[in-house]
């Protein structure tokens, strides 16, 4: 399973755009990149998933360069409610999807 | 609301006991996953079932076992409980597994006294 590396923590002011970068140097050809958000004492919530280039949905954008060795989750105009832990995961699509959650990035949004 | 239901929400028991945690996946999801999250720790993958069959195994202790029933609900059995088993146990489901995003329940908080 490919390992991922993310910053342990980040701080941001309300209203700013936040970019969290994840490195996954050993990503396999058929691996997708998926981001989850987790609030304390709650289950992780799926945010976005991508394979290459750029993916955008109503809450975030995911940028993946051509070599796919890293990815960046972009949260536009964060609010206090975006304070959470964000996990970047990669995994193979070969039938099972054994997710390996690292420590994630603890994002603190400051008023 | 993720659509994944876990019961009970809280469970308090003593060392040496056995407990069963239950998970109902989202409607239409065939794959169920179990995770353990200890205090200030990341989520540890335990086991995955797909349509009733075990598909992948992670860091699951021999004292723990799981199964997925024909109606697709799943149970995680924890026996000979130790203090270190105190944790949040999450169940997640996805349509088929593979690259499908997983949807997590709110977890069962297990406290061993």
């Amino acid at each position: 399973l490919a390992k991922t590396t993310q910053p342990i923590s980040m701080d941001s002011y309300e209203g700013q755009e936040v970019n969290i970068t994840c490195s996954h140097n050993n990503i396999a050809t058929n691996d997708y990149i998926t981001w989850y958000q987790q609030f304390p004492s709650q289950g992780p919530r799926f945010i976005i998933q991508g394979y290459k280039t750029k993916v955008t949905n109503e809450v975030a954008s995911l940028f993946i360069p051509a070599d796919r060795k890293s990815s960046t989750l972009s949260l536009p105009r964060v609010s206090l409610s975006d304070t959470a832990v964000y996990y970047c995961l990669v995994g193979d699509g070969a039938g099972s999807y054994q997710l390996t959650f690292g420590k994630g990035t603890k994002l603190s949004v400051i008023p | 609301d993720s659509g994944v239901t876990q019961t009970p929400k809280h469970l308090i028991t003593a060392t040496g006991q056995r407990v069963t945690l239950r998970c109902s996946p989202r409607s239409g999801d065939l794959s169920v996953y179990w995770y353990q999250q200890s205090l200030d720790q990341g989520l540890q993958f335990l086991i995955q079932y797909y349509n009733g069959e075990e598909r992948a195994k992670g860091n699951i202790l021999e004292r723990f076992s799981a199964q997925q029933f024909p109606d697709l609900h799943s149970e995680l059995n924890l026996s000979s409980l130790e203090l270190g088993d105190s944790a949040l146990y999450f169940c997640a489901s996805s349509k088929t597994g593979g690259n499908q995003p997983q949807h997590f329940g709110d977890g069962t908080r297990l406290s061993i006294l």
Side-chain angles (χ1 to χ4, degrees):
Chain A
L1 295 170
K3 284 190 174 179
T4 59
T5 303
Q6 309 173 228
I8 294 174
S9 64
M10 294 180 70
D11 293 335
S12 175
Y13 288 101
E14 270 192 299
Q16 288 189 330
E17 178 184 73
V18 171
N19 295 310
I20 306 174
T21 297
C22 176
S23 70
H24 27 79
N25 292 320
N26 297 322
I27 190 169
T29 303
N30 55 353
D31 280 354
Y32 278 68
I33 300 151
T34 311
W35 286 80
Y36 290 82
Q37 173 194 56
Q38 186 180 28
F39 298 111
S41 298
Q42 292 185 25
R45 183 176 72 98
F46 169 78
I47 302 175
I48 198 166
Q49 184 183 66
Y51 184 79
K52 62 180 179 180
T53 62
K54 177 183 174 182
V55 180
T56 298
N57 62 22
E58 63 276 8
V59 298
S61 294
L62 178 59
F63 299 91
I64 305 169
D67 67 4
R68 303 197 332 118
K69 293 184 183 298
S70 67
S71 59
T72 299
L73 174 72
S74 181
L75 304 172
R77 298 179 298 282
V78 294
S79 65
L80 296 177
S81 63
D82 293 316
T83 293
V85 178
Y86 292 83
Y87 296 97
C88 160
L89 296 99
V90 299
D92 71 87
S96 89
Y97 197 42
Q98 182 174 329
L99 294 183
T100 300
F101 283 81
K103 297 291 188 181
T105 298
K106 183 174 173 55
L107 173 65
S108 299
V109 180
I110 307 163
Chain B
D1 181 13
S2 68
V4 177
T5 304
Q6 289 188 247
T7 55
K9 291 191 184 304
H10 302 278
L11 201 49
I12 302 173
T13 188
T15 56
Q17 296 299 305
R18 171 189 168 93
V19 297
T20 297
L21 313 183
R22 182 187 168 99
C23 170
S24 294
R26 286 191 325 162
S27 177
D29 285 357
L30 299 178
S31 206
V32 169
Y33 309 77
W34 286 97
Y35 294 85
Q36 178 193 56
Q37 186 171 38
S38 303
L39 193 63
D40 295 328
Q41 295 294 312
L43 284 97
Q44 300 292 317
F45 168 74
L46 296 178
I47 198 164
Q48 177 204 2
Y49 280 84
Y50 174 74
N51 205 21
E53 294 189 4
E54 181 183 305
R55 179 62 63 88
K57 218 171 204 179
N59 301 320
I60 188 166
L61 299 172
E62 286 191 8
R63 300 183 286 108
F64 296 0
S65 65
Q67 55 184 326
Q68 186 179 28
F69 295 88
D71 67 353
L72 301 177
H73 91 272
S74 178
E75 292 181 356
L76 178 67
N77 301 297
L78 315 176
S79 61
S80 302
L81 287 168
E82 302 175 358
L83 293 177
D85 297 329
S86 294
L88 263 171
Y89 291 84
F90 290 106
C91 168
S93 73
S94 67
K95 288 195 182 300
T96 58
N99 286 308
Q100 294 286 324
Q102 295 182 22
H103 300 273
F104 285 75
D106 288 335
T108 292
R109 182 174 294 281
L110 176 63
S111 299
I112 313 299
L113 303 179

